[in-house]
Amino acid sequence: MSTDTTTTDDPGRGRTTRRRLLIGLGAAVLLAGGGTGIAIARGALPTGRGEKEKPTGFTGATGEITRGDLQGETSAQGTLRFADSHTVRSGFQGVVTQLPTAGAVIHSGECLYQVGDEPAYLFRGSVPAWRAFESGMSNGEDITQLQTVLGEMGHMQAEPDGNFGWRTIQAVRAWQKAVGLERTGSLPLGRIVFDAGDLRVGELKSRLGDTAATQGDLYNATSTAQVVDVNLKLADQQLAVVGNKVALHLPGAVESTGTITAVGTPVEKTGSDNSSKERFIPLTVVPDDLSATSSFQEVSVTVGLPSEKRENVLSVPVSALIALTAEQFGVELVEDSGATRKVPVTTGMFAGGRVEISGEGLAEGQRVEIGRAHV
């Protein structure tokens, strides 16, 4: 969300009760814990150093006043899923005799399915197989892809040249022998399916014994790569920059990061009340750490996009804020002797569980009490 500025010294307002202030402080803590950037401007503050208290031998939890940059973030909702969802279709007509299991991963060189006695294999490549591979065919990038994969398998030593000559025919025969096919040196259309990477098997659309038509649906599949689809509000479109890093807040308090790889044009979707239409900017985010996301198949996530930034400011953990009066926030400094004293502060931006503070008598490195509400 965008930075929110609240003024508490409006002459028209009545005096806020202590109970309402504490409720407001609790709400600020919750918002800051979610990474929301909020700036709260307070009225004129007392200039004194705060009332000193007698040494108490303090032993509670403390945090530190630090100096540095605070980076706010604007939240958007997204869905983590596997990329490139599509349907695997049969290249042959006949009875389905072999299918993979849902959730299996098929690697380059492995069997995708079999119809009758006609198996189909996955080969790595970006150009679709659109013709049979046979002697006398014209040169092409599809041949180069085939030669490259055969070379990676150890069946072809020559450099790929896009020509289906005798070296390629021999390499095809070697591969056919390795997988138990007749050594013809040619490949009918449908035998090889080129794809950019490994495939992850999804829902099966057919079952063993079914009759498959050419181009009939067999099963759904995706790539093994994961992406996050994000709908960003139009008001925040200036944050949608390809290459920018974002925070990923996953279920179970799992925190990770990602990179914006694509920004689409505005689209209209049903709003949160299911009755109105809203316009969004679609973003694609690629997670940076697969170990943090691989356990999720599809899940809603909160994406934090960097927004306002405050440089070289003092900050404390949000839980260090206390209510000194009905109008005034403060912190409780903990001296080396164990004595404590309350000091009024002006709050600024909330970000990443910390809050910007300023005021007389505050310095980097001082300790503050945390985790206990005061009045």
Side-chain angles (χ1 to χ4, degrees):
M1 69 177 64
S2 304
T3 301
D4 178 27
T5 303
T6 305
T7 303
T8 61
D9 57 353
D10 184 349
R13 289 184 55 188
R15 184 176 184 82
T16 305
T17 65
R18 178 169 300 177
R19 175 179 178 83
R20 289 179 60 190
L21 178 65
L22 291 177
I23 292 174
L25 175 57
V29 170
L30 289 175
L31 287 172
T36 304
I38 305 176
I40 302 179
R42 296 291 172 190
L45 297 178
T47 57
R49 290 177 171 270
E51 176 185 350
K52 284 202 172 186
E53 299 182 358
K54 295 180 182 180
T56 59
F58 179 80
T59 59
T62 63
E64 183 178 349
I65 298 179
T66 62
R67 180 174 293 279
D69 298 342
L70 280 185
Q71 178 68 69
E73 68 176 37
T74 295
S75 296
Q77 294 306 304
T79 301
L80 173 71
R81 61 174 180 80
F82 286 96
D84 189 28
S85 178
H86 63 282
T87 300
V88 174
R89 295 182 171 89
S90 176
F92 308 102
Q93 182 174 354
V95 176
V96 178
T97 54
Q98 183 177 328
L99 287 171
T101 57
V105 174
I106 301 175
H107 306 280
S108 182
E110 295 180 347
C111 183
L112 288 165
Y113 63 86
Q114 183 169 308
V115 173
D117 60 354
E118 301 281 9
Y121 294 86
L122 176 67
F123 275 21
R124 192 179 302 277
S126 58
V127 178
W130 54 275
R131 55 180 175 170
F133 292 97
E134 55 192 358
S135 179
M137 66 187 300
S138 59
N139 294 355
E141 182 61 28
D142 53 343
I143 298 174
T144 302
Q145 286 184 159
L146 175 66
Q147 293 170 329
T148 299
V149 176
L150 291 173
E152 291 171 349
M153 293 177 176
H155 301 305
M156 185 170 182
Q157 306 303 318
E159 287 295 320
D161 60 6
N163 175 260
F164 199 86
W166 71 269
R167 290 187 179 87
T168 306
I169 292 173
Q170 288 300 108
V172 169
R173 286 174 175 165
W175 173 75
Q176 288 172 326
K177 179 181 179 180
V179 297
L181 295 173
E182 183 181 357
R183 299 178 60 196
T184 63
S186 61
L187 301 171
L189 181 61
R191 179 74 75 226
I192 300 299
V193 176
F194 287 112
D195 204 286
D198 298 336
L199 294 186
R200 183 178 181 276
V201 180
E203 179 187 6
L204 298 182
K205 298 289 189 178
S206 184
R207 53 188 293 186
L208 298 183
D210 286 353
T211 298
T214 303
Q215 292 302 300
D217 294 352
L218 295 178
Y219 55 88
N220 292 335
T222 66
S223 76
T224 55
Q226 290 180 300
V227 295
V228 180
D229 294 326
V230 185
N231 290 322
L232 183 66
K233 293 182 178 180
L234 281 178
D236 298 319
Q237 61 185 289
Q238 73 279 2
L239 305 178
V241 180
V242 172
N244 277 9
K245 294 291 185 180
V246 299
L248 299 179
H249 308 296
L250 301 157
V254 176
E255 299 293 326
S256 190
T257 60
T259 303
I260 298 176
T261 59
V263 177
T265 57
V267 296
E268 190 173 82
K269 292 181 176 292
T270 302
S272 56
D273 59 2
N274 293 321
S275 61
S276 60
K277 297 287 187 179
E278 296 184 57
R279 291 181 68 78
F280 297 93
I281 301 291
L283 309 181
T284 301
V285 173
V286 173
D288 294 330
D289 182 9
L290 293 181
S291 66
T293 60
S294 60
S295 61
F296 300 102
Q297 295 192 45
E298 183 171 326
V299 70
S300 295
V301 301
T302 300
V303 179
L305 293 90
S307 52
E308 180 188 2
K309 186 175 184 179
R310 299 281 290 166
E311 298 181 347
N312 195 33
V313 296
L314 295 177
S315 69
V316 295
V318 173
S319 58
L321 285 182
I322 57 176
L324 297 180
T325 69
E327 298 287 342
Q328 180 67 67
F329 283 142
V331 295
E332 189 154 10
L333 296 180
V334 180
E335 309 287 1
D336 292 341
S337 64
T340 64
R341 59 187 176 95
K342 296 173 182 176
V343 177
V345 300
T346 300
T347 58
M349 189 176 78
F350 287 74
R354 299 186 70 84
V355 56
E356 174 190 357
I357 60 170
S358 60
E360 187 177 351
L362 300 176
E364 180 182 5
Q366 290 176 317
R367 307 298 297 178
V368 293
E369 182 178 358
I370 61 174
R372 183 161 64 94
H374 290 72
V375 294

